[in-house]
Each structure stands twice: as C-alpha cells, then as structure tokens.
Amino acid sequence: MSKKRSNLQIAQEQAESIIQKTNDKIEELGKYTSNLYTALNDIQQLFDKIRNVPSQKHLEYKKLKEVRLIWKQQVEKIQSDYKSAVAKNAGKGVTGVGAGVAVAALGPTAAMGIATTFGLASTGTAISTLSGAAATNAALAWLGGGALAAGGGGMAAGNAFLALAGPVGWAIAGIALLGSGLLLWKTKSDQNRLENIFTLISKRDKKSYELAIVELNERISRIKNESVKLNDAIKKIESFGVDYNQMTEAQQYELGAYVNLMSASTQLLVNPILGLQPKYNEEDFSKFISEGNGKANEDLSSSHKDLIIALSNLLYKIKLDDKDKKLLWKSFKKNKKFLSSMNISKKEFDDIILDIVCEALYFKLC
C-alpha cells in the first residue's frame, strides 16, 4: 500500500507540473521568436539597401538594429554560460539525467525563448537565467528544476544556478527538500509548520505560473501576427526600388509605417514576460535601504544583499509569525548547501537576517 502524500508533496507536484508547462511554453515562444528575428533581419537588409532615406527614419531603424544585436548576443551568452556552468559541475562529479537533458534542450530556439522571457535591462544586460540573485523562479526551473525535482544533482548544480534565486528552487522540489533534512524535525508540530510554509509557497507559485502561461500565449499570438505583417511588408518593399527619392509619396509613407512595424516587433522580441520577473529585485532592495527601515542594518544588508533578495523572492506574500521565522532560520542555518550557494557561513547567518527580509517585504508591499 502506497504512503499517503502530504499536502506539501501534492502542492509541489502541482507546481512542478505547471512549471513544466511554462518551460514548454517558453520553448514554443523561442520558435516563434526565431521566426520573428529572421523576418526583422530580412526587412532590415532591405532597408539597408535603400538610398537617400531621411536621416530621422534612418536613425530609427539603425537603433532598432542595435537593440536586436544586443538581444542576439544575450541569446548566445545564455547558451555559452549554461554550457560552461554544466561543464564546471561535471568536473566536480555532479551528474544526473536532469543536467544532461537540460543541456541538450538548450538549443538556439530555447535560448531565444529564455532571452525574450526574461528580457533586456536598460544597460543591455539581460535579466536572464544567469544574471544574478534577482533572477526569477522560472529561470531556475528551466536550468535546475529537472535535476532538483528528481532529488539528484540540482542542489549541487553550482553557484551559477543557485546564486540566482537561492532556495526559490526548493519550493518546487518537495522530494529534495525532505531528502535534504530541511524538514526533518524532532517535533511533528515544527515539521507541520515548515511544510505549511512551503505548501503556501508552492500554491503561490502555481498561481503565478498559470498567469504567466496566459501572458506567454498572448505574446506568441502577437508575434505570429507581427511575423505575418513583416513578411507581407518584405514583399511590398522589394517592389519599391532602392532609391527613396524615386518612390511615390504613398510608398514613402508606407515605408515609414514599416519602420513603426519594426519597432513594435522588436519590442515583442526584447520586452520581458512580466509575470515571470522577480517579485523582489535590486531596485526594491535599494529603496528599502535608502528610504525604509533597512538603514538600521545597512552594513549587514549590503554585505548579504543577494541572500536577502533571494529570501525576499522565496517568502513574497507569505505570512510568517515569530515561530515560523525561527524555524525557517534554523532550517537554513543547518543546510550547508544553502549556506554555500548563498556564500554565507553558518556563523554569519544571524537570525536578524529573516527579520530584515520581512521588513524589506513589508516596505515593498505596504
């Protein structure tokens, strides 16, 4: 007779299921994004051949070209960083089907899906799967979720993965959580409390991913429509000739409309899926330090910024009482892999850190 599954296991299985659907949708987005990128390049090449284009229009589509170049470089960076991280882990003896499958799956179109999903920051640096502690849950699911959920090499998947969201990935890995000893306590009531916290996290994430899938579907639909318009525009432009001054007024007007189309299409390429952005980011942290109660513990907060941001994402909209905070603190403090991934020693992991996290979240949400 099989053992009855706990509420935590059920909630996390549901979260894992919706995360897999999200990942599949991200890969589907990548396929359509690839088509869009090709169409944008094709129309750009036609524009580049046209002489005597007014300087303002010329400047507009040159800027769009630069934005797409940065995006493409990010796609390549995601691929190379991921392969490097996996190779590094392999050298440490970290093995498992999860890691191997993930590498095989991370082809150009999958990387395009990830680059579009997580977008470009204003600096041109992607808020992507490998960009630091403020990365989002789905990114960790993409890169480490499979191995993590299987209780395999996920927890040892290297700082490149765990530093991006710390224990957020644990929320989708009930087996790994229980196996790590994180929830194994002497009293049943303590264990029930911890299981309840992670059950709430899983339910929250499930809702978040369901909404993200709606947004991903909408983005795919819009990209399909824009790709059709771009391909129609390519056929029209090919018939206009290569000298702007020789075109009719109607053709010149139409060419201007196609620059606007390129602009809208480029935004679909580089703008992130908002539902999969971090719930708590570096900007939130900076505001907390400069305007909120974070001033009181500025030195401690600044030295452990990545940890505080990661825990703030994990505990976003999760209500905790003092007993909950104490149990969580003890759990994290006992977990060597967690401490290592967050680059903090057992001694440094003071219980005030969870108080700071709760204050930081209160400041953001109040």
Side-chain angles (χ1 to χ4, degrees):
M1 185 176 171
S2 60
K3 186 180 176 183
K4 185 181 177 183
R5 291 176 303 155
S6 68
N7 288 336
L8 172 64
Q9 287 169 323
I10 292 167
Q12 292 189 328
E13 283 170 15
Q14 291 174 343
E16 285 171 31
S17 175
I18 197 71
I19 283 168
Q20 184 56 55
K21 289 176 184 175
T22 305
N23 290 338
D24 291 342
K25 194 57 68 173
I26 289 172
E27 184 156 17
E28 184 184 345
L29 172 68
K31 291 172 185 173
Y32 289 107
T33 298
S34 177
N35 296 337
L36 181 67
Y37 178 76
T38 299
L40 281 164
N41 272 358
D42 289 346
I43 199 169
Q44 181 74 52
Q45 286 174 12
L46 291 177
F47 267 89
D48 288 342
K49 291 176 184 175
I50 300 172
R51 300 187 301 271
N52 301 316
V53 176
S55 57
Q56 185 58 39
K57 282 190 176 62
H58 190 265
L59 188 63
E60 279 182 52
Y61 66 75
K62 284 293 182 188
K63 282 182 179 176
L64 294 172
K65 189 177 182 178
E66 288 171 15
V67 170
R68 290 196 300 276
L69 177 62
I70 292 169
W71 178 85
K72 187 63 165 63
Q73 288 170 341
Q74 187 56 45
V75 171
E76 291 163 358
K77 187 177 186 299
I78 288 169
Q79 286 181 276
S80 63
D81 283 2
Y82 184 53
K83 287 175 183 175
S84 296
V86 171
K88 180 181 173 185
N89 293 330
K92 293 179 179 176
V94 178
T95 58
V97 176
V101 169
V103 177
L106 201 70
T109 53
M112 283 182 175
I114 294 171
T116 294
T117 297
F118 299 105
L120 297 177
S122 57
T123 58
T125 304
I127 306 168
S128 74
T129 50
L130 299 168
S131 67
T136 190
N137 309 20
L140 188 62
W142 240 103
L143 296 183
L148 199 62
M155 286 300 296
N159 288 344
F161 303 146
L162 292 181
L164 66 88
V168 171
W170 299 356
I172 61 163
I175 300 168
L177 262 173
L178 295 165
S180 71
L182 189 62
L183 300 182
L184 300 178
W185 288 84
K186 289 179 182 177
T187 68
K188 188 67 179 171
S189 63
D190 284 354
Q191 184 167 335
N192 286 343
R193 267 182 179 268
L194 281 169
E195 287 193 1
N196 183 55
I197 292 168
F198 283 95
T199 299
L200 291 173
I201 289 169
S202 293
K203 288 181 176 179
R204 176 204 64 196
D205 286 352
K206 178 174 177 281
K207 287 180 184 176
S208 179
Y209 286 118
E210 285 170 344
L211 291 173
I213 286 175
V214 173
E215 192 180 349
L216 282 160
N217 281 328
E218 172 64 19
R219 179 66 62 88
I220 288 168
S221 176
R222 289 183 64 193
I223 286 175
K224 282 181 181 178
N225 291 337
E226 295 297 288
S227 296
V228 170
K229 290 178 187 176
L230 284 168
N231 286 316
D232 288 343
I234 287 167
K235 291 174 186 173
K236 294 289 282 294
I237 294 170
E238 285 174 335
S239 69
F240 288 178
V242 292
D243 190 337
Y244 186 84
N245 291 336
Q246 298 297 316
M247 294 179 190
T248 66
E249 190 175 345
Q251 287 173 333
Q252 290 174 348
Y253 180 82
E254 204 169 334
L255 210 62
Y258 292 149
V259 174
N260 294 335
L261 174 62
M262 289 167 69
S263 177
S265 298
T266 299
Q267 294 310 308
L268 292 176
L269 193 72
V270 303
N271 282 358
I273 299 298
L274 295 178
L276 291 175
Q277 294 307 292
K279 300 297 185 277
Y280 193 92
N281 57 35
E282 291 198 24
E283 188 179 337
D284 296 321
F285 177 83
S286 296
K287 282 185 181 177
F288 170 62
I289 294 298
S290 61
E291 302 170 23
N293 295 333
K295 209 74 180 165
N297 294 292
E298 187 171 359
D299 290 343
L300 180 65
S301 298
S302 297
S303 60
H304 299 302
K305 179 178 76 172
D306 288 354
L307 171 65
I308 290 167
I309 290 173
L311 288 177
S312 295
N313 275 298
L314 176 70
L315 299 173
Y316 186 77
K317 290 193 173 178
I318 302 296
K319 289 184 180 179
L320 302 174
D321 61 22
D322 289 340
K323 174 85 170 172
D324 293 330
K325 282 193 284 186
K326 198 77 173 175
L327 278 172
L328 273 176
W329 171 69
K330 285 182 179 178
S331 300
F332 294 144
K333 198 176 178 76
K334 285 186 174 187
N335 195 290
K336 291 179 182 177
K337 287 174 181 174
F338 163 70
L339 296 174
S340 173
S341 72
M342 287 287 102
N343 198 26
I344 187 170
S345 69
K346 188 173 183 179
K347 187 177 180 181
E348 289 175 308
F349 193 65
D350 195 287
D351 59 354
I352 198 173
I353 286 174
L354 274 180
D355 289 328
I356 293 170
V357 168
C358 290
E359 285 176 12
L361 286 171
Y362 179 77
F363 178 75
K364 177 180 170 72
L365 296 169
C366 69

